[in-house]
């Protein structure tokens, strides 16, 4: 090997070594940053938008076959959650909705989960598996998403005040912390 060739090979080896060291330093910095974030987690769940519009007229049947209407809930604060059994963010937020629901048993607060077109047997299985005890309505013809709330996104949620006015709406899963921060004040009104 000529002197020039060995010099070039040496520079290449040095360059590769510097890249490896740089990658190791970058990995160490990233790992340290992840450790810091684990100690003070940030809530990246959806944040609701404040709105002021009348709740839609919507009548559907629950999983027991009983017909319900949103107007039946006047005088209560109602969180309407549009979801589906196949939707990962919907699945992720269900424990938060359940926990928040059971924390407000005598405050005129209701959760209505409206399933978006799944077969009834799948919905019932989902409800049992997740031990949900708030009202679950079936929407086989997509009345809630297509006409009442006019959304194509799941999950989508709406908080209706005691006077039948939608005050909050959001797309995406919401954490228990954000339920407490945004919904609880409306329940307390």
């Amino acid at each position: 090997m000529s002197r020039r060739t060995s010099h070039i090979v040496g520079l290449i080896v040095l360059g590769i070594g510097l890249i490896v060291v740089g990658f190791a330093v970058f990995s160490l910095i990233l790992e340290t940053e992840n450790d810091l974030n684990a100690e003070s987690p940030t809530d990246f769940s959806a944040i609701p938008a404040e709105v002021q519009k009348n709740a839609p007229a919507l009548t559907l049947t629950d999983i027991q076959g009983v017909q319900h209407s949103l107007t039946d809930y006047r005088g209560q604060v109602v969180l309407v959650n549009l979801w589906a059994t196949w939707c990962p963010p919907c699945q992720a937020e269900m424990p938060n909705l359940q926990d928040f629901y059971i924390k407000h048993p005598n405050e005129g607060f209701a959760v209505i989960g409206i399933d978006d077109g799944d077969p009834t047997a799948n919905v019932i299985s989902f409800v049992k598996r997740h031990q949900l005890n708030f009202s679950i309505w079936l929407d086989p013809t997509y009345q809630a998403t297509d006409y009442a709330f006019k959304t194509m996104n799941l999950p989508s949620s709406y908080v209706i005040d005691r006077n039948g006015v939608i005050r909050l709406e959001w797309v995406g899963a919401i954490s228990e912390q954000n339920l407490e921060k945004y919904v609880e004040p409306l329940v307390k009104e």
Side-chain angles (χ1 to χ4, degrees):
M1 215 186 319
S2 74
R3 188 177 169 115
R4 180 173 162 84
T5 305
S6 70
H7 186 272
I8 291 173
V9 170
L11 287 175
I12 291 172
V13 170
L14 179 63
I16 291 172
L18 288 173
I19 290 171
V20 169
V21 169
F23 182 77
V25 169
F26 176 76
S27 296
L28 182 62
I29 290 170
L30 189 60
E31 186 175 324
T32 302
E33 195 172 281
N34 286 340
D35 289 345
L36 290 174
N37 287 339
E39 292 173 10
S40 58
T42 303
D43 184 1
F44 290 109
S45 67
I47 296 175
E50 292 185 25
V51 294
Q52 289 285 327
K53 57 186 177 184
N54 290 329
L58 179 65
T59 301
L60 294 169
T61 303
D62 68 19
I63 59 176
Q64 288 85 27
V66 177
Q67 194 173 58
H68 298 274
S69 176
L70 284 180
T71 57
D72 298 340
Y73 290 82
R74 283 284 162 84
Q76 296 184 54
V77 173
V78 181
L79 188 154
V80 175
N81 177 256
L82 309 180
W83 65 284
T85 60
W86 51 262
C87 165
C90 302
Q91 295 169 14
E93 78 177 348
M94 283 299 170
N96 296 332
L97 294 174
Q98 177 64 30
D99 290 346
F100 190 76
Y101 173 70
I102 62 175
K103 286 182 181 177
H104 302 281
N106 300 315
E107 299 178 61
F109 174 71
V111 174
I112 301 171
I114 301 177
D115 176 75
D116 194 48
D118 289 316
T120 302
N122 293 7
V123 177
I124 291 170
S125 174
F126 183 93
V127 168
K128 286 180 182 176
R129 187 172 56 253
H130 292 278
Q131 300 177 353
L132 304 177
N133 60 9
F134 52 83
S135 188
I136 302 293
W137 298 2
L138 302 171
D139 190 7
T141 58
Y142 311 101
Q143 294 298 306
T145 51
D146 290 355
Y147 304 106
F149 293 100
K150 298 178 181 152
T151 184
M152 295 174 55
N153 302 298
L154 296 177
S156 290
S157 297
Y158 306 85
V159 179
I160 303 168
D161 70 15
R162 298 178 197 285
N163 298 315
V165 175
I166 299 173
R167 300 272 297 276
L168 299 172
E169 65 183 19
W170 66 90
V171 173
I174 192 165
S175 67
E176 191 168 357
Q177 294 84 5
N178 279 346
L179 285 167
E180 291 170 2
K181 180 176 181 179
Y182 296 102
V183 179
E184 192 154 356
L186 294 176
V187 173
K188 302 292 183 190
E189 282 184 356

